[in-house]
Amino acid sequence: MATRRFLLPVLIACTFCFTTAIKEPKSFAYEKGRYCGRTSLGNGSWSACGACERGLRSNASSACQICKDEPELYDWLYLGFMGLLPLTFHLGCIDAAAKRRTFTKEVMALYASAVVEVVVAAVATLLIADPFGEFRIRSCKERGLADWYPLFHNPNPNYEGVLHCTQEAVYPLYSMVFVFYTLCLMVMLLIRPLLSSKLLPGRGKSAIYSALYFLPILIFTHAIGAGLIYYSFPYLVIILSVVSNAAHFAFQLDQSMPGLLLGCIRDVRNLVILIGHWGLHAYGIIAIMVLNDKDAYGSLCALVPLPAVFYILTSRFTDPSNMS
C-alpha cells in the first residue's frame, strides 16, 4: 500500500510533464521545417515560427536571414529563356500576320519593335528588382525542385494544424518573371498599335491580338510549372529548335538537296531563320552543359548544324513525289 501511495504522485507528475511537452505552443513546436523560420524582432526576441518575409530565407537554425546570393550562370540562362519565349512568339506572330516570304521594311520595323519591347521590359525588370536601380540581382540560392513549390511542404507539427510557411524560396527568380511578362504586355500596348496601323494596316493587329492570348498563357504556365521549366528548359529548347527547323525546311517548295541548300544561301529570310534555329540549339546545349557542370561547350556546339545538314541529306528519301 505504501508503495502504491508513492508511485501514484510519480505517475501523475510524469503524465503532466509528458502532456506539457506534447502540448507545446505551436510557435515553438516546429523548428526544423524546410521553409519555416523565426524573424528577429530587434529587441532580443523572435517572432513565432512561420513563413519568412520576402527576400529572407530560413537557415539551418530556423532563423530567417536576408538572402545575399547572386544568380549563377544557369539562373541567368533560365531568365534568358523566359525572355526568349515572348520574343519568339512575337516574331512568329508578326511573320504569320505579314504573310510575306521576303523581308520588307514594314516587316523589319515590326520585328525591331518586338525586340525593343522585350529588351525594354527586361531592363525595367532588372532595375526594379532588389537592389533597386542596379543591373544586378540579390537572390536566394536555389537548392532543389521543392524550392519552387513550398506550398506542398507546409508542416503539420504534432498533427494539430498546418503551419503555413509558403514563401518565395527562390527569390526573385519566380516573381520577377511575372513582372517581366506584365511589362512586356504594357510596353507592347504602348508601341505596337501605332506602328501596326501604319506599317501593316488591317493585318498587323492580328499579331497584337495573338500576344493578348499567349502572354497570359505564359504567365499561367509559369505560375504552375516554373520549377519544372527551370530544370527542363535546355532540353525543351533543343527539341523544339530541331522540330521547328525540320518544319521550316518541310514548307520549302523545292525539296531536292540542291534546292534546299541554295535556298538557305540565296534567300535572306531562310538564312536568318536557319541561323536563329542554330542559335537556339547552341543555347540549349550550353544550358545543359552548365546544368550538369560540364565544360565540353565547343565540341558539342560544333554539332549545331547537324539537324539541318541531316534534313538536307535525307530529304530525297522523304519527298512525297518520289513515293509510288
Side-chain angles (χ1 to χ4, degrees), residues 121 176-188 215 219:
M176 70 184 305
V177 176
F178 291 113
V179 176
F180 169 69
Y181 285 150
T182 304
L183 291 176
C184 280
L185 183 60
M186 295 173 61
V187 175
M188 183 201 67
L215 282 173
I219 292 174

Side-chain angles (χ1 to χ4, degrees), residues 245-263:
N245 186 57
H248 170 69
F249 279 123
F251 279 101
Q252 302 301 313
L253 298 178
D254 189 356
Q255 287 292 310
S256 64
M257 187 185 304
L260 291 173
L261 185 60
L262 293 177

Side-chain angles (χ1 to χ4, degrees), residues 268-280:
V268 177
R269 180 176 178 273
N270 288 340
L271 181 61
V272 171
I273 293 175
L274 182 62
I275 294 176
H277 283 105
W278 287 357
L280 291 175

Side-chain angles (χ1 to χ4, degrees), residues 92-160:
C93 292
I94 292 172
D95 187 72
K99 296 180 180 179
R100 297 176 183 176
R101 301 190 64 85
T102 58
F103 287 145
T104 61
K105 294 181 179 180
E106 294 80 9
V107 175
M108 292 298 295
L110 290 178
Y111 286 159
S113 172
V115 173
V116 170
E117 293 163 12
V118 174
V119 170
V120 169
V123 171
T125 303
L126 286 176
L127 294 177
I128 292 173
D130 189 24
F132 182 82
E134 298 184 21
F135 286 101
R136 63 187 185 92
I137 301 174
R138 178 180 65 83
S139 66
C140 300
K141 182 177 176 59
E142 193 271 345
R143 302 172 186 171
L145 181 62
D147 289 352
W148 295 88
Y149 304 101
L151 176 65
F152 301 114
H153 298 274
N154 290 326
N156 190 354
N158 300 326
Y159 302 98
E160 296 178 352

